[in-house]
Amino acid sequence: HYRCRSAFKLLEIDDKLHILRPGLSVLDCGAAPGAWSQVAVERVNALGTDPAAPTGFVIGVDLLRISPLEGAVFLSQADITDPGTQRAIQNLLPAEKVDVILSDMAPNATGIKELDHQKLISLCLGLVNLSQSILKPKGTMLCKFWDGHESRVLQNKLKEQFQDVRTIKPQASRKDSSESYYLARLYKGK
Ligand code: SAM
């Protein structure tokens, strides 16, 4: 019932590393078509399906249109790097900040590997900057990157700002050999 097979990557990562739990609020960057948001809605109990557990919140953002999903709030046709989008997110959040930032974002691939790599790294670096205004202290960030020369730059920046940073290569993304994720936990905040 997932909108896209990418759901299985997040399920696999979360089964192993437990980044989502009932009551957490989540920002899903690059959310279209919405499979990660489906997983997040289930795991943070955004619909209150389990009345005994706390109710979480999910907001998804994408350049593309995203069909509505019960339990999630979507900002469609919105660029996460745009300050206007960042203000809109903040206005929609129930609290000032989120517990988890997920990013499965991917820029339109040009086919030039080095260029695509750099574009995705700069998107991720932008998210680390955004964390300052949008991620709670001790919060978590999970972001996809394509491996290359500048992966280290992103990894080092994450290590500056989070206490625990690891690289994850889900089984479910084996076919895309250059795709990995950084999982950064325990945001140091300001
Ligand atoms: N995780 C999604 C799911 O499970 O349904 C799939 C995400 S797809 C691999 C990557 C998405 O990132 C694309 O829909 C693309 O439009 C989006 N994206 C790329 N750059 C973006 C940006 N600057 N702001 C918002 N979304 C962006």
Side-chain angles (χ1 to χ4, degrees):
H1 66 299
Y2 291 113
R3 294 178 179 186
C4 179
R5 291 198 50 81
S6 53
F8 297 103
K9 292 187 250 177
L10 182 58
L11 287 167
E12 182 187 329
I13 293 169
D14 192 52
D15 283 342
K16 204 181 291 176
L17 293 148
H18 312 289
I19 59 185
L20 302 171
R21 62 172 186 279
L24 296 188
S25 60
V26 175
L27 169 62
D28 181 11
C29 304
W36 276 32
S37 287
Q38 289 178 291
V39 172
V41 163
E42 290 167 5
R43 300 227 160 161
V44 306
N45 193 36
L47 279 167
T49 314
D50 179 356
T55 304
F57 181 85
V58 177
I59 181 167
V61 179
D62 205 288
L63 290 172
L64 304 178
R65 292 195 64 112
I66 325 170
S67 323
L69 170 69
E70 232 197 321
V73 176
F74 286 142
L75 281 174
S76 281
Q77 295 169 296
D79 185 337
I80 191 71
T81 65
D82 178 348
T85 303
Q86 298 168 7
R87 276 192 299 275
I89 295 169
Q90 239 133 9
N91 290 332
L92 289 165
L93 290 179
E96 205 190 334
K97 295 181 173 179
V98 298
D99 300 284
V100 181
I101 298 176
L102 302 175
S103 172
D104 194 30
M105 282 195 289
N108 277 332
T110 63
I112 304 168
K113 223 178 155 188
E114 188 57 26
L115 185 60
D116 293 337
H117 158 70
Q118 280 171 10
K119 280 167 106 180
L120 184 48
I121 294 288
S122 17
L123 271 177
C124 295
L125 288 169
L127 283 185
V128 184
N129 288 335
L130 182 61
S131 298
Q132 209 173 92
S133 54
I134 228 167
L135 185 62
K136 289 183 196 168
K138 300 202 174 149
T140 301
M141 174 153 128
L142 174 70
C143 61
K144 171 160 83 185
F145 67 99
W146 292 319
D147 205 13
H149 284 102
E150 287 170 36
S151 305
R152 270 299 151 89
V153 177
L154 174 59
Q155 191 182 36
N156 289 338
K157 181 147 180 183
L158 287 168
K159 282 183 171 166
E160 265 168 41
Q161 307 205 18
F162 293 81
Q163 278 179 45
D164 179 47
V165 179
R166 61 183 78 192
T167 310
I168 301 172
K169 178 90 191 162
Q171 285 295 312
S173 52
R174 260 174 322 181
K175 62 176 182 359
D176 183 346
S177 58
S178 73
E179 172 185 281
S180 297
Y181 292 81
Y182 283 130
L183 174 61
R185 290 194 283 200
L186 295 170
Y187 183 53
K188 294 176 189 169
K190 275 205 82 180

